[in-house]
Amino acid sequence: MRTVRELWRQEVLGTPRRRVIGEAVATWLVGLALLALGVVGTFGPGPATPDRWPFVLTLSALCLLLLAKRERPGLALSVGVVPLVVDIALGGSIGVVIAFFDLVYCVALWGRREVLRRVEALVAVAVFASAAVPFVLLGTVREAVLGAVVTFSLLATPLWWGRSVRSQAELAAVADARAEDLRRIAELREGEVLQAERTRMAAELHDALAGNLAAIGIHAEAALSLPEAASSPSGRSLTAIREASVSASDELRAMVRLLRSGDDERTAPARLADVEGLVALARQHGHTVDLDRPDPWPALPASIDHAAHRIVQESLTNATKHAPGARVAVTIAMADEVLTVRVASTLPAVGARTARGEGLGVPGMRERAESLGGRFSAGPTGGVWVVSASLPLAPDEGSPP
């Protein structure tokens, strides 16, 4: 069960507007309680038996003005001078003093700069006048000092207090802005370091692999140009080598461009829409491949598109290495914002090479899927080696980046 304090904070002070209303009502109730106790005559004796209803009216008028203290503090204070003067003429009451104190404080806290400067000037004049007028009329220092102290307490104290709170809030805002600027500078520096690393990686990839891939393609093309190559059993293998080297060179160039640009939103260098080329290459290696895919291809994020392509590519490569001539079924589907990739290949006969997952292929596919918040599995099921990956198009908040 909620306590009275919790109810006050949540129901009454839940929003700035509710807070203003709650404070105005609280001031009004406190002022009424003081009037009920007969606490009047704050600024003078007033009538011998003062009527309390005029004080209720001045108190109510100032409490209504408190409702506008946040949106229009200057206007509320200007109008609030009238009930204050009337209340002082009647002898004065504590509730009105509290309400006017709050209005002055809100002008210092939320008022415009030019309004605040005018109020400060008027307060200085009021303090000086409250000391000068009694001294001139009565000729006593005591009355002059007392008038200045009372006026200073009523007007200058809330003004000074509000300005202090306002200054602290402005300093906190400046500190927050500076912290945000430092965070952005750090992000820019981190981006520069990352881009430099990407550029270095692109140069290393190009220098280390581009020449070798070009040499493989040139030598394969030269071997195919020989007259006996067309009728040789190795002709099909040479053709596959040439096409693979050309495809690898294209992917290398795309990867180098991606690394140098640093734009992660660019189209992936290897896309799932190119899966027909992977299937054709697998068929050249002697596989019977059945492909079930969406038509047309859905629009996919670059990271998902690239990861799915690599999973299909690695699965077909493993089938070529471990189960030559196997029947392979590639299924690509998307439902409920999840892309599913499944590659099933028949296992070879007993005695053939059946070990899978000993290299880096399966761990690499698993890392690709899980880094995007997806799920991955690979293993034998009823004489079929099944690779399955589910990639969400909108990664979970708790998934790894």
Side-chain angles (χ1 to χ4, degrees):
M1 184 176 180
R2 293 184 296 179
T3 63
V4 176
R5 184 177 182 181
E6 291 175 346
L7 288 172
W8 176 264
R9 285 185 175 180
Q10 295 176 7
E11 301 299 333
V12 179
L13 306 181
T15 62
R17 185 58 185 169
R18 287 184 180 180
R19 186 181 183 89
V20 168
I21 295 174
E23 291 173 351
V25 172
T27 303
W28 187 68
L29 293 176
V30 170
L32 290 180
L34 293 172
L35 289 176
L37 294 174
V39 182
V40 292
T42 306
F43 299 103
T49 57
D51 187 3
R52 299 175 185 177
W53 286 109
F55 293 104
V56 173
L57 294 177
T58 56
L59 173 66
S60 300
L62 271 173
C63 289
L64 287 175
L65 291 172
L66 287 178
L67 299 177
K69 68 180 183 179
R70 190 178 184 94
E71 293 81 8
R72 303 293 297 275
L75 178 62
L77 179 63
S78 301
V79 178
V81 172
V82 176
L84 175 67
V85 171
V86 173
D87 189 82
I88 293 175
L90 295 174
S93 61
I94 299 297
V96 169
V97 171
I98 296 174
F100 196 80
F101 190 99
D102 195 8
L103 288 177
V104 176
Y105 171 80
C106 292
V107 167
L109 185 60
W110 294 313
R112 298 194 306 272
R113 292 288 182 181
E114 57 272 18
V115 174
L116 181 56
R117 285 194 293 268
R118 292 173 186 172
V119 171
E120 289 174 340
L122 291 175
V123 168
V125 171
V127 172
F128 177 78
S130 62
V133 171
F135 183 78
V136 171
L137 295 179
L138 302 177
T140 59
V141 177
R142 177 180 176 278
E143 298 297 332
V145 172
L146 182 61
V149 169
V150 171
T151 306
F152 185 89
S153 301
L154 178 62
L155 301 178
T157 299
L159 199 64
W160 166 79
W161 184 15
R163 290 215 59 166
S164 177
V165 175
R166 182 172 183 160
S167 299
Q168 293 299 321
E170 291 174 349
L171 289 176
V174 171
D176 291 341
R178 183 174 182 274
E180 179 66 17
D181 291 340
L182 291 176
R183 185 188 64 80
R184 291 179 179 177
I185 292 173
E187 287 182 352
L188 291 174
R189 290 177 178 174
E190 182 180 356
E192 292 175 356
V193 172
L194 180 61
Q195 185 56 39
E197 182 64 22
R198 284 182 168 183
T199 303
R200 186 162 53 251
M201 289 174 60
E204 293 292 338
L205 281 174
H206 183 271
D207 295 343
L209 299 179
N212 292 332
L213 290 175
I216 292 172
I218 292 172
H219 285 291
E221 184 69 28
L224 285 172
S225 65
L226 298 175
E228 62 274 13
S231 58
S232 172
S234 61
R236 189 171 63 181
S237 297
L238 290 172
T239 301
I241 291 172
R242 182 190 61 186
E243 293 179 355
S245 65
V246 172
S247 176
S249 297
D250 292 339
E251 289 194 12
L252 178 62
R253 284 193 294 270
M255 182 62 70
V256 169
R257 286 195 298 269
L258 180 64
L259 288 172
R260 285 177 175 171
S261 68
D263 186 3
D264 293 333
E265 299 300 323
R266 288 185 55 180
T267 302
R271 302 173 61 240
L272 195 57
D274 302 329
V275 72
E276 285 86 354
L278 300 177
V279 171
L281 185 60
R283 288 170 179 165
Q284 290 180 8
H285 292 156
H287 295 291
T288 301
V289 184
D290 298 323
L291 176 61
D292 182 9
R293 68 173 185 83
D295 189 16
W297 284 106
L300 299 173
S303 57
I304 302 294
D305 205 358
H306 182 64
H309 179 277
R310 291 304 189 196
I311 290 173
V312 174
Q313 183 182 42
E314 185 62 28
S315 300
L316 293 175
T317 300
N318 285 344
T320 301
K321 292 192 298 183
H322 303 293
R327 186 178 186 87
V328 183
V330 179
T331 305
I332 302 170
M334 188 174 70
D336 299 329
E337 296 298 317
V338 176
L339 179 69
T340 302
V341 177
R342 186 177 187 274
V343 181
S345 57
T346 56
L347 292 172
V350 178
R353 185 181 180 187
T354 59
R356 297 197 189 194
E358 297 175 353
L360 299 177
V362 172
M365 289 187 288
R366 185 183 304 279
E367 289 175 1
R368 285 183 185 275
E370 293 179 352
S371 67
L372 296 172
R375 296 189 301 272
F376 177 85
S377 63
T381 303
V384 178
W385 183 273
V386 180
V387 174
S388 178
S390 299
L391 306 175
L393 301 187
D396 296 335
E397 293 183 359
S399 62

